[in-house]
Amino acid sequence: LGGGWRSEADSLCSESVWTGLPLGAAFTFCIVSVETRVQIQESVRGKDVFVIQTVSKDVNTTIMEMLIMVYACRTSCARSITGVLPYFPYSKQCKMRKRGSIVSKLMASMMCKAGLTHLITMDLHQKEIQGFFNIPVDNLRASPFLLQYIQEEIPDYRNAVIVAKSPASAKRAQSFAERLRLGIAVIHGEAQDAESDQVDGRHSPPTVKTTGAIHPSMEIPLLIPKEKPPISVVGDVGGRIAIIVDDIIDDVDSFVAAAETLKERGAYKIFVMATHGLLSCEAPRFIEESAIDEVVVTNTIPHELQKLQCPKIKTVDISMILSEAIRRIHNGESMSYLFRNIGVDD
């Protein structure tokens, strides 16, 4: 069964791309009140059901489609229900932000409550998200496919350097560099984005020292606020190909700024490699007008429209590993083969 019947997802959910089996008969639609309704049009009693859902621009509708379909299969007495989400929505909201909430935990609770018995996903934003679930989670990796693209599609990749656009991405960059036997560079001092711990309220020191709310004999020391250093590149990129690696590329401002910095330091070609290409809003236009030569993403998220707007965007197909994961789970086979030679930092 495939949730969210959209033409954009045909490349990922077609029977030829997956296991060669026909898709289960199900119908998803919205009634006049904009409520989502799901009808399972064949018996799933006692069967292993795999609900495949790709994330569209309307992420909330996508989530509700999946939850309702999973619940419909559960109440129809399916033996097991495995959710296949190549991109796990709300994965960026996996930490407490000021007075916000950990939305990834909420998503996990909703999916388990709806009836999921297993989850297959790819490159979670933080691997600790697996701990939010009380069901098995297989977090597959796209790095072997991206590494293969580098080796086959970049002729002079031996003259490349793997770049982390922030210190937070250094582990992933190091993993890529070690596999390809290349050097590494880290951009330090770039503008902090919403994913930075600096926006976390727990890291914001009080502007004045107050002791009225605590015992008079206790005094909380003032914390020194963080100051962002000037932008610098740790590592040599002069006369080299710069390959920026990350897990998600959505708002491309930080990638464009990193590309400009690398150009100023002498890099003559700049590639961006990421697993999930959300590429929201004006991202295609910004990429087209930037110093980036090529953006390579996988097809975990449909982005055909963005490719029409920007020829620099290239796609790597990862459907093979997802279909193999489905086959192995259905047959009760080991999943370790899919994680061979995969580092914990990938």
Side-chain angles (χ1 to χ4, degrees):
L1 297 174
W5 294 92
R6 303 180 182 85
S7 59
E8 290 180 327
D10 287 347
S11 63
L12 195 57
C13 293
S14 65
E15 56 184 86
S16 60
V17 170
W18 289 90
T19 57
L21 301 174
L23 291 175
F27 186 51
T28 303
F29 60 97
C30 291
I31 59 179
V32 178
S33 61
V34 199
E35 294 180 356
T36 300
R37 183 169 293 177
V38 171
Q39 292 179 357
I40 308 298
Q41 297 178 319
E42 62 180 273
S43 175
V44 296
R45 182 179 294 271
K47 295 183 178 180
D48 294 328
V49 177
F50 294 84
V51 180
I52 303 166
Q53 182 64 297
T54 53
V55 176
S56 67
K57 289 184 178 179
D58 190 353
V59 63
N60 296 325
T61 299
T62 297
I63 293 167
M64 286 306 300
E65 283 180 358
M66 179 180 182
L67 294 175
I68 295 171
M69 183 169 285
V70 168
Y71 189 65
C73 293
R74 175 188 175 185
T75 54
S76 299
C77 300
R79 182 172 66 177
S80 66
I81 306 169
T82 302
V84 184
L85 282 82
Y87 169 69
F88 186 76
Y90 286 98
S91 61
K92 282 189 173 183
Q93 299 189 47
C94 57
K95 295 180 181 180
M96 181 66 72
R97 305 294 183 190
K98 294 186 178 179
R99 295 180 179 87
S101 60
I102 305 176
V103 184
S104 293
K105 170 60 177 175
L106 174 63
M107 291 294 303
S109 300
M110 291 168 62
M111 290 180 183
C112 294
K113 188 68 175 178
L116 272 190
T117 59
H118 201 132
L119 177 68
I120 301 174
T121 187
M122 179 164 281
D123 280 349
L124 288 170
H125 185 58
Q126 296 289 338
K127 298 171 184 62
E128 291 78 8
I129 293 175
Q130 297 174 85
F132 295 158
F133 291 84
N134 55 13
I135 59 174
V137 177
D138 286 311
N139 181 28
L140 304 177
R141 306 291 200 275
S143 56
F145 297 90
L146 297 177
L147 291 168
Q148 183 180 24
Y149 184 93
I150 293 173
Q151 292 172 322
E152 295 180 356
E153 302 298 329
I154 304 179
D156 47 350
Y157 81 93
R158 288 294 181 187
N159 188 37
V161 58
I162 306 298
V163 179
K165 69 180 181 67
S166 68
S169 305
K171 284 188 177 180
R172 179 181 295 269
Q174 180 182 359
S175 178
F176 272 63
E178 289 175 351
R179 301 283 187 82
L180 296 169
R181 295 178 174 83
L182 299 176
I184 184 174
V186 179
I187 300 176
H188 181 55
E190 66 172 336
Q192 298 294 325
D193 55 23
E195 285 303 297
S196 169
D197 286 338
Q198 192 171 0
V199 303
D200 193 326
R202 294 170 297 176
H203 291 267
S204 302
T207 54
V208 295
K209 185 184 297 185
T210 58
T211 58
I214 58 177
H215 193 275
S217 63
M218 298 176 62
E219 193 170 287
I220 299 176
L222 277 177
L223 299 178
I224 301 174
K226 295 180 180 179
E227 291 187 7
K228 185 174 57 182
I231 293 178
S232 62
V233 178
V234 181
D236 181 21
V237 298
R240 313 282 289 278
I241 299 173
I243 304 176
I244 304 173
V245 297
D246 213 332
D247 62 329
I248 300 173
I249 176 169
D250 186 6
D251 181 6
V252 299
D253 289 347
S254 59
F255 291 92
V256 171
E260 292 175 355
T261 300
L262 294 170
K263 276 288 186 183
E264 293 173 359
R265 300 303 194 280
Y268 71 92
K269 274 188 181 179
I270 299 172
F271 291 80
V272 175
M273 315 285 294
T275 303
H276 308 295
L278 276 69
L279 302 170
S280 303
C281 302
E282 297 295 317
R285 180 173 64 85
F286 292 150
I287 292 172
E288 186 67 24
E289 297 173 356
S290 71
I292 298 173
D293 292 282
E294 197 168 281
V295 172
V296 182
V297 294
T298 71
N299 57 344
T300 55
I301 298 174
H303 53 267
E304 296 303 318
L305 180 60
Q306 289 89 334
K307 289 180 68 175
L308 293 175
Q309 297 172 346
C310 178
K312 292 182 179 181
I313 300 174
K314 307 297 180 183
T315 305
V316 174
D317 181 25
I318 47 80
S319 59
M320 177 172 53
I321 192 172
L322 293 173
S323 61
E324 179 63 12
I326 291 174
R327 189 192 68 79
R328 286 175 174 270
I329 289 174
H330 177 65
N331 293 330
E333 299 177 16
S334 171
M335 295 287 286
S336 61
Y337 175 80
L338 303 181
F339 294 94
R340 69 192 192 284
N341 300 324
I342 297 294
V344 294
D345 294 328
D346 281 10

